Structures are given as C-alpha cells and as structure tokens.
Amino acid sequence: MKYTPREIGAFVKNARKSLGVTQKTLALTSGTGLRFIIELEQGKPTCQIGKVLTVLHTLGITMHLSLAAGRSAGKGLTP
C-alpha cells in the first residue's frame, strides 16, 4: 500500500491526540522542532524522512515495508 504524506500526517496527529500528547511535547521528546511536527501533521511532502521515522518511533508507531508482487530486492528498477 502506498501512503501519501497527508495520510501519514493524519495518522501521526491521531496517534498523538489519542496519547494525550501536545505537539510541543512530541517535538521535545522526539528531538524535533514544533514547526516540524506541525508541518508533518499537515502532510508537507518535503519533511525529512529521518525525522519522520524518529517521530513515528517516539509515538510507538511501527511500519512494515514489503516489495510489491513481482519484485525482488536484488533487481534494479526500470524506468
């Protein structure tokens, strides 16, 4: 399944709210800035992936990555 930045942002926002955590507290505990959390939750497509992964980890969100059917890890991509 392919997720959009907006969907990931909404998921982060919902998780944060369900835990009763403010944006400011999430920023402090994840080592990011408040502006970053706001932009992530708004679905900004240029958010830094490393910081996104840190926020997901801080909230206890796990991700499961897999290759689409018919692809293998050792093969190159074709344009």
Side-chain angles (χ1 to χ4, degrees):
M1 177 172 214
K2 180 180 176 183
Y3 294 100
T4 66
R6 187 171 300 275
E7 291 169 328
I8 292 171
F11 192 87
V12 167
K13 183 176 184 175
N14 290 334
R16 176 184 59 76
K17 286 187 168 192
S18 73
L19 292 170
V21 176
T22 66
Q23 289 177 323
K24 184 177 180 179
T25 300
L26 179 56
L28 290 171
T29 57
S30 64
T32 63
L34 178 58
R35 171 64 34 208
F36 177 81
I37 298 299
I38 292 167
E39 291 176 350
L40 171 60
E41 290 185 355
Q42 291 175 344
K44 183 178 178 183
T46 58
C47 282
Q48 297 175 22
I49 188 68
K51 287 183 180 181
V52 172
L53 295 173
T54 298
V55 170
L56 296 179
H57 177 74
T58 301
L59 290 171
I61 298 170
T62 59
M63 292 179 54
H64 302 279
L65 304 175
S66 62
L67 290 171
R71 297 228 180 194
S72 67
K75 294 187 178 182
L77 300 175
T78 55

